[in-house]
Structure formats: C-alpha cells, structure tokens
Amino acid sequence: MTLIRGPGLDWYPYNILDVPGMGYAGVAVYIGSILVAFLGIATALWLVDRKLGGS
C-alpha cells in the first residue's frame, strides 16, 4: 500500500521504501534482504525446535 500511495503523497514512512531516492530496484533489494533474513531466522528456530525434541 505504501508503494502505491507514496508517489501521490511524496512521502514514504521508512527510508528503505524511498522509491524516488533508490528506485524500485533498490527497494526490491531491501525487501528481498529482509525476506531472506526472516526465512533464515525462521529456519534456524525450526531447526532448534526439532533438535530440542519438539514434534
């Protein structure tokens, strides 16, 4: 929603979503990095859960 409304308002709530400053490709890199970090943490927690005997 922010990327849709941002150009009309000329305002982005976070620096990582600053399309005029970084372009859509730059924003996509940040969003992709956050996604990879989230998936890495989720996988690590899942592996710890399995190791500790969670079903």
Side-chain angles (χ1 to χ4, degrees):
M1 187 69 158
T2 297
L3 294 176
I4 295 170
R5 291 181 53 199
L9 298 175
D10 195 30
W11 177 77
Y12 296 90
Y14 306 106
N15 290 337
I16 62 170
L17 298 176
D18 183 19
V19 175
M22 296 185 298
Y24 282 104
V27 171
V29 168
Y30 271 109
I31 292 172
S33 300
I34 291 168
L35 176 63
V36 167
F38 174 79
L39 292 175
I41 292 168
T43 301
L45 291 173
W46 176 73
L47 289 171
V48 167
D49 181 56
R50 288 185 53 113
K51 178 100 173 149
L52 294 177
S55 54

